[in-house]
mmCIF file of all heavy atoms in Angstrom:
data_model
loop_
_atom_site.group_PDB
_atom_site.id
_atom_site.type_symbol
_atom_site.label_atom_id
_atom_site.label_comp_id
_atom_site.label_asym_id
_atom_site.label_seq_id
_atom_site.Cartn_x
_atom_site.Cartn_y
_atom_site.Cartn_z
ATOM 1 N N THR A 177 77.577 56.772 297.016
ATOM 2 C CA THR A 177 78.707 55.930 297.353
ATOM 3 C C THR A 177 79.325 55.304 296.120
ATOM 4 O O THR A 177 78.691 54.535 295.409
ATOM 5 C CB THR A 177 78.265 54.832 298.327
ATOM 6 O OG1 THR A 177 77.616 55.426 299.444
ATOM 7 C CG2 THR A 177 79.469 54.036 298.804
ATOM 8 N N PHE A 178 80.574 55.632 295.892
ATOM 9 C CA PHE A 178 81.284 55.177 294.694
ATOM 10 C C PHE A 178 81.333 53.662 294.629
ATOM 11 O O PHE A 178 81.209 53.074 293.550
ATOM 12 C CB PHE A 178 82.691 55.773 294.706
ATOM 13 C CG PHE A 178 83.565 55.303 293.595
ATOM 14 C CD1 PHE A 178 83.341 55.727 292.290
ATOM 15 C CD2 PHE A 178 84.623 54.437 293.836
ATOM 16 C CE1 PHE A 178 84.153 55.306 291.249
ATOM 17 C CE2 PHE A 178 85.439 54.012 292.807
ATOM 18 C CZ PHE A 178 85.205 54.443 291.511
ATOM 19 N N SER A 179 81.503 53.027 295.766
ATOM 20 C CA SER A 179 81.645 51.569 295.778
ATOM 21 C C SER A 179 80.370 50.851 295.346
ATOM 22 O O SER A 179 80.384 49.643 295.129
ATOM 23 C CB SER A 179 82.067 51.085 297.165
ATOM 24 O OG SER A 179 81.110 51.469 298.131
ATOM 25 N N SER A 180 79.273 51.578 295.198
ATOM 26 C CA SER A 180 78.019 50.978 294.752
ATOM 27 C C SER A 180 77.974 50.779 293.241
ATOM 28 O O SER A 180 77.057 50.115 292.738
ATOM 29 C CB SER A 180 76.834 51.859 295.145
ATOM 30 O OG SER A 180 76.747 52.043 296.534
ATOM 31 N N TYR A 181 78.939 51.312 292.529
ATOM 32 C CA TYR A 181 78.858 51.372 291.074
ATOM 33 C C TYR A 181 79.840 50.451 290.372
ATOM 34 O O TYR A 181 81.023 50.371 290.741
ATOM 35 C CB TYR A 181 79.099 52.798 290.582
ATOM 36 C CG TYR A 181 77.999 53.746 290.988
ATOM 37 C CD1 TYR A 181 78.092 54.480 292.160
ATOM 38 C CD2 TYR A 181 76.860 53.868 290.211
ATOM 39 C CE1 TYR A 181 77.075 55.326 292.540
ATOM 40 C CE2 TYR A 181 75.840 54.723 290.577
ATOM 41 C CZ TYR A 181 75.956 55.444 291.747
ATOM 42 O OH TYR A 181 74.939 56.282 292.122
ATOM 43 N N THR A 182 79.346 49.802 289.354
ATOM 44 C CA THR A 182 80.202 49.187 288.351
ATOM 45 C C THR A 182 80.684 50.307 287.441
ATOM 46 O O THR A 182 79.908 51.178 287.047
ATOM 47 C CB THR A 182 79.408 48.142 287.541
ATOM 48 O OG1 THR A 182 79.039 47.067 288.406
ATOM 49 C CG2 THR A 182 80.215 47.617 286.374
ATOM 50 N N MET A 183 81.971 50.293 287.098
ATOM 51 C CA MET A 183 82.565 51.383 286.347
ATOM 52 C C MET A 183 83.094 50.900 284.998
ATOM 53 O O MET A 183 83.544 49.755 284.869
ATOM 54 C CB MET A 183 83.717 52.006 287.141
ATOM 55 C CG MET A 183 83.314 52.539 288.510
ATOM 56 S SD MET A 183 82.100 53.856 288.431
ATOM 57 C CE MET A 183 83.006 55.120 287.534
ATOM 58 N N GLY A 184 83.042 51.803 284.036
ATOM 59 C CA GLY A 184 83.543 51.462 282.711
ATOM 60 C C GLY A 184 84.246 52.632 282.063
ATOM 61 O O GLY A 184 84.053 53.792 282.442
ATOM 62 N N TRP A 185 85.087 52.318 281.098
ATOM 63 C CA TRP A 185 85.717 53.312 280.231
ATOM 64 C C TRP A 185 85.297 53.017 278.794
ATOM 65 O O TRP A 185 85.319 51.851 278.351
ATOM 66 C CB TRP A 185 87.239 53.252 280.326
ATOM 67 C CG TRP A 185 87.819 53.854 281.564
ATOM 68 C CD1 TRP A 185 88.199 53.197 282.702
ATOM 69 C CD2 TRP A 185 88.116 55.238 281.782
ATOM 70 N NE1 TRP A 185 88.691 54.090 283.622
ATOM 71 C CE2 TRP A 185 88.660 55.348 283.080
ATOM 72 C CE3 TRP A 185 87.963 56.399 281.020
ATOM 73 C CZ2 TRP A 185 89.060 56.572 283.622
ATOM 74 C CZ3 TRP A 185 88.357 57.607 281.556
ATOM 75 C CH2 TRP A 185 88.896 57.688 282.838
ATOM 76 N N PHE A 186 84.946 54.070 278.088
ATOM 77 C CA PHE A 186 84.615 53.995 276.673
ATOM 78 C C PHE A 186 85.430 55.060 275.950
ATOM 79 O O PHE A 186 85.991 55.958 276.585
ATOM 80 C CB PHE A 186 83.114 54.250 276.460
ATOM 81 C CG PHE A 186 82.229 53.136 276.955
ATOM 82 C CD1 PHE A 186 81.995 52.963 278.309
ATOM 83 C CD2 PHE A 186 81.643 52.255 276.067
ATOM 84 C CE1 PHE A 186 81.193 51.928 278.780
ATOM 85 C CE2 PHE A 186 80.831 51.223 276.507
ATOM 86 C CZ PHE A 186 80.613 51.066 277.863
ATOM 87 N N ARG A 187 85.475 54.963 274.629
ATOM 88 C CA ARG A 187 86.159 55.989 273.860
ATOM 89 C C ARG A 187 85.443 56.216 272.542
ATOM 90 O O ARG A 187 84.763 55.322 272.024
ATOM 91 C CB ARG A 187 87.626 55.612 273.620
ATOM 92 C CG ARG A 187 87.831 54.401 272.715
ATOM 93 C CD ARG A 187 89.300 54.036 272.666
ATOM 94 N NE ARG A 187 89.538 52.898 271.770
ATOM 95 C CZ ARG A 187 90.727 52.305 271.630
ATOM 96 N NH1 ARG A 187 91.765 52.726 272.329
ATOM 97 N NH2 ARG A 187 90.847 51.293 270.794
ATOM 98 N N GLN A 188 85.630 57.422 272.027
ATOM 99 C CA GLN A 188 85.033 57.769 270.740
ATOM 100 C C GLN A 188 86.048 58.515 269.904
ATOM 101 O O GLN A 188 86.483 59.612 270.274
ATOM 102 C CB GLN A 188 83.777 58.616 270.927
ATOM 103 C CG GLN A 188 83.023 58.866 269.634
ATOM 104 C CD GLN A 188 81.646 59.443 269.877
ATOM 105 O OE1 GLN A 188 81.360 60.021 270.927
ATOM 106 N NE2 GLN A 188 80.760 59.294 268.900
ATOM 107 N N ALA A 189 86.422 57.919 268.796
ATOM 108 C CA ALA A 189 87.345 58.539 267.847
ATOM 109 C C ALA A 189 86.547 59.392 266.861
ATOM 110 O O ALA A 189 85.350 59.146 266.659
ATOM 111 C CB ALA A 189 88.126 57.463 267.113
ATOM 112 N N PRO A 190 87.193 60.354 266.233
ATOM 113 C CA PRO A 190 86.494 61.210 265.276
ATOM 114 C C PRO A 190 85.819 60.391 264.175
ATOM 115 O O PRO A 190 86.443 59.510 263.577
ATOM 116 C CB PRO A 190 87.600 62.088 264.714
ATOM 117 C CG PRO A 190 88.633 62.125 265.785
ATOM 118 C CD PRO A 190 88.595 60.771 266.421
ATOM 119 N N GLY A 191 84.546 60.664 263.950
ATOM 120 C CA GLY A 191 83.817 59.985 262.896
ATOM 121 C C GLY A 191 83.404 58.566 263.207
ATOM 122 O O GLY A 191 82.868 57.868 262.340
ATOM 123 N N LYS A 192 83.634 58.128 264.445
ATOM 124 C CA LYS A 192 83.293 56.750 264.812
ATOM 125 C C LYS A 192 82.335 56.749 265.998
ATOM 126 O O LYS A 192 82.189 57.729 266.709
ATOM 127 C CB LYS A 192 84.557 55.960 265.157
ATOM 128 C CG LYS A 192 85.500 55.766 263.981
ATOM 129 C CD LYS A 192 86.627 54.822 264.347
ATOM 130 C CE LYS A 192 87.529 54.566 263.151
ATOM 131 N NZ LYS A 192 88.633 53.624 263.480
ATOM 132 N N GLU A 193 81.696 55.605 266.195
ATOM 133 C CA GLU A 193 80.802 55.466 267.337
ATOM 134 C C GLU A 193 81.623 55.236 268.611
ATOM 135 O O GLU A 193 82.760 54.757 268.569
ATOM 136 C CB GLU A 193 79.846 54.290 267.106
ATOM 137 C CG GLU A 193 78.868 54.520 265.971
ATOM 138 C CD GLU A 193 77.842 53.407 265.860
ATOM 139 O OE1 GLU A 193 78.013 52.375 266.529
ATOM 140 O OE2 GLU A 193 76.885 53.578 265.095
ATOM 141 N N ARG A 194 80.993 55.541 269.723
ATOM 142 C CA ARG A 194 81.641 55.292 271.008
ATOM 143 C C ARG A 194 81.762 53.784 271.208
ATOM 144 O O ARG A 194 80.819 53.028 270.919
ATOM 145 C CB ARG A 194 80.844 55.937 272.132
ATOM 146 C CG ARG A 194 81.566 55.964 273.450
ATOM 147 C CD ARG A 194 81.119 57.124 274.343
ATOM 148 N NE ARG A 194 79.699 57.212 274.560
ATOM 149 C CZ ARG A 194 79.126 58.180 275.267
ATOM 150 N NH1 ARG A 194 79.868 59.136 275.815
ATOM 151 N NH2 ARG A 194 77.833 58.192 275.441
ATOM 152 N N GLU A 195 82.933 53.356 271.717
ATOM 153 C CA GLU A 195 83.186 51.934 271.891
ATOM 154 C C GLU A 195 83.695 51.640 273.294
ATOM 155 O O GLU A 195 84.316 52.471 273.940
ATOM 156 C CB GLU A 195 84.201 51.438 270.866
ATOM 157 C CG GLU A 195 85.587 52.038 271.007
ATOM 158 C CD GLU A 195 86.592 51.446 270.017
ATOM 159 O OE1 GLU A 195 86.189 50.670 269.131
ATOM 160 O OE2 GLU A 195 87.789 51.758 270.150
ATOM 161 N N PHE A 196 83.431 50.410 273.707
ATOM 162 C CA PHE A 196 83.862 49.932 275.003
ATOM 163 C C PHE A 196 85.375 49.774 275.046
ATOM 164 O O PHE A 196 86.005 49.328 274.078
ATOM 165 C CB PHE A 196 83.187 48.584 275.293
ATOM 166 C CG PHE A 196 83.723 47.857 276.478
ATOM 167 C CD1 PHE A 196 83.422 48.283 277.763
ATOM 168 C CD2 PHE A 196 84.531 46.742 276.320
ATOM 169 C CE1 PHE A 196 83.922 47.616 278.856
ATOM 170 C CE2 PHE A 196 85.029 46.065 277.404
ATOM 171 C CZ PHE A 196 84.721 46.501 278.681
ATOM 172 N N VAL A 197 85.959 50.111 276.217
ATOM 173 C CA VAL A 197 87.393 49.928 276.424
ATOM 174 C C VAL A 197 87.640 48.940 277.559
ATOM 175 O O VAL A 197 88.336 47.938 277.387
ATOM 176 C CB VAL A 197 88.100 51.256 276.723
ATOM 177 C CG1 VAL A 197 89.579 51.021 277.014
ATOM 178 C CG2 VAL A 197 87.918 52.234 275.563
ATOM 179 N N ALA A 198 87.073 49.225 278.738
ATOM 180 C CA ALA A 198 87.325 48.382 279.904
ATOM 181 C C ALA A 198 86.240 48.619 280.943
ATOM 182 O O ALA A 198 85.579 49.659 280.941
ATOM 183 C CB ALA A 198 88.699 48.686 280.507
ATOM 184 N N ALA A 199 86.064 47.635 281.828
ATOM 185 C CA ALA A 199 85.086 47.758 282.904
ATOM 186 C C ALA A 199 85.585 47.018 284.130
ATOM 187 O O ALA A 199 86.395 46.082 284.020
ATOM 188 C CB ALA A 199 83.733 47.204 282.474
ATOM 189 N N ILE A 200 85.092 47.440 285.299
ATOM 190 C CA ILE A 200 85.486 46.807 286.547
ATOM 191 C C ILE A 200 84.264 46.709 287.456
ATOM 192 O O ILE A 200 83.447 47.627 287.529
ATOM 193 C CB ILE A 200 86.640 47.580 287.223
ATOM 194 C CG1 ILE A 200 87.184 46.810 288.427
ATOM 195 C CG2 ILE A 200 86.221 48.996 287.602
ATOM 196 C CD1 ILE A 200 88.528 47.339 288.915
ATOM 197 N N SER A 201 84.141 45.588 288.152
ATOM 198 C CA SER A 201 82.989 45.339 289.009
ATOM 199 C C SER A 201 83.089 46.119 290.311
ATOM 200 O O SER A 201 84.129 46.676 290.660
ATOM 201 C CB SER A 201 82.894 43.840 289.312
ATOM 202 O OG SER A 201 84.038 43.411 290.038
ATOM 203 N N ARG A 202 81.977 46.107 291.042
ATOM 204 C CA ARG A 202 81.952 46.748 292.357
ATOM 205 C C ARG A 202 82.891 46.042 293.320
ATOM 206 O O ARG A 202 83.609 46.689 294.080
ATOM 207 C CB ARG A 202 80.539 46.687 292.925
ATOM 208 C CG ARG A 202 79.556 47.632 292.345
ATOM 209 C CD ARG A 202 78.174 47.364 292.886
ATOM 210 N NE ARG A 202 78.125 47.354 294.335
ATOM 211 C CZ ARG A 202 77.056 47.039 295.030
ATOM 212 N NH1 ARG A 202 75.939 46.691 294.411
ATOM 213 N NH2 ARG A 202 77.072 47.054 296.344
ATOM 214 N N SER A 203 82.830 44.720 293.316
ATOM 215 C CA SER A 203 83.595 43.926 294.275
ATOM 216 C C SER A 203 84.489 42.924 293.555
ATOM 217 O O SER A 203 84.223 42.548 292.419
ATOM 218 C CB SER A 203 82.653 43.171 295.210
ATOM 219 O OG SER A 203 81.896 44.056 295.986
ATOM 220 N N LEU A 204 85.522 42.518 294.233
ATOM 221 C CA LEU A 204 86.479 41.510 293.756
ATOM 222 C C LEU A 204 87.303 41.976 292.568
ATOM 223 O O LEU A 204 88.171 41.227 292.112
ATOM 224 C CB LEU A 204 85.781 40.199 293.380
ATOM 225 C CG LEU A 204 85.204 39.375 294.528
ATOM 226 C CD1 LEU A 204 84.695 38.041 294.005
ATOM 227 C CD2 LEU A 204 86.249 39.144 295.607
ATOM 228 N N GLY A 205 87.049 43.166 292.064
ATOM 229 C CA GLY A 205 87.861 43.698 290.981
ATOM 230 C C GLY A 205 87.789 42.897 289.701
ATOM 231 O O GLY A 205 88.777 42.826 288.955
ATOM 232 N N ARG A 206 86.640 42.297 289.420
ATOM 233 C CA ARG A 206 86.505 41.616 288.123
ATOM 234 C C ARG A 206 86.581 42.650 287.011
ATOM 235 O O ARG A 206 86.036 43.743 287.126
ATOM 236 C CB ARG A 206 85.166 40.881 288.062
ATOM 237 C CG ARG A 206 85.105 39.619 288.888
ATOM 238 C CD ARG A 206 83.814 38.887 288.591
ATOM 239 N NE ARG A 206 83.746 38.480 287.197
ATOM 240 C CZ ARG A 206 82.629 38.138 286.567
ATOM 241 N NH1 ARG A 206 81.466 38.178 287.204
ATOM 242 N NH2 ARG A 206 82.634 37.762 285.321
ATOM 243 N N THR A 207 87.275 42.281 285.936
ATOM 244 C CA THR A 207 87.492 43.234 284.850
ATOM 245 C C THR A 207 87.136 42.628 283.493
ATOM 246 O O THR A 207 87.066 41.400 283.339
ATOM 247 C CB THR A 207 88.954 43.697 284.800
ATOM 248 O OG1 THR A 207 89.808 42.549 284.654
ATOM 249 C CG2 THR A 207 89.339 44.444 286.074
ATOM 250 N N ALA A 208 86.918 43.510 282.542
ATOM 251 C CA ALA A 208 86.703 43.115 281.152
ATOM 252 C C ALA A 208 87.381 44.150 280.268
ATOM 253 O O ALA A 208 87.428 45.336 280.626
ATOM 254 C CB ALA A 208 85.218 43.030 280.828
#
């Protein structure tokens, strides 16, 4: 069930480490 998961987006540029972009909670749509 998708709604059970907190979701995030990350990105990785060439030669760099993967970094956080955005995240959203399961409920209430809290974001970072």
